[in-house]
Amino acid sequence: MNNVPRIYTVKEVSQILKCNKNYVYDLINGGLLPALKLGSLKIREEALNDFLVRIETDKPVA
């Protein structure tokens, strides 16, 4: 069962990103962070990693 992808709750993602749960909901509702509706919203580890890479590479350099 090592091929089963890791699934995070909104609370877990907020803890990983060190932000408020409402911010995670804003990212999901804004289409920036894909989520699955499985009872409550869940975020695949791959989707979170892709989001982090995307925001890191899209960040404007000051």
Side-chain angles (χ1 to χ4, degrees):
M1 293 212 28
N2 290 341
N3 293 339
V4 176
R6 174 81 169 114
I7 304 288
Y8 296 112
T9 64
V10 169
K11 181 179 179 180
E12 289 172 324
V13 171
S14 72
Q15 292 170 341
I16 291 167
L17 297 179
K18 297 183 179 13
C19 68
N20 189 294
K21 286 192 313 185
N22 290 332
Y23 183 67
V24 177
Y25 284 114
D26 289 344
L27 293 173
I28 293 167
N29 292 331
L32 298 172
L33 182 60
L36 307 168
K37 181 71 172 167
L38 300 171
S40 60
L41 290 172
K42 305 288 192 300
I43 298 94
R44 292 181 306 114
E45 181 178 39
E46 182 180 353
L48 179 58
N49 290 336
D50 290 347
F51 166 76
L52 293 172
V53 168
R54 194 170 56 251
I55 62 166
E56 186 175 60
T57 57
D58 289 347
K59 191 180 225 180
V61 178

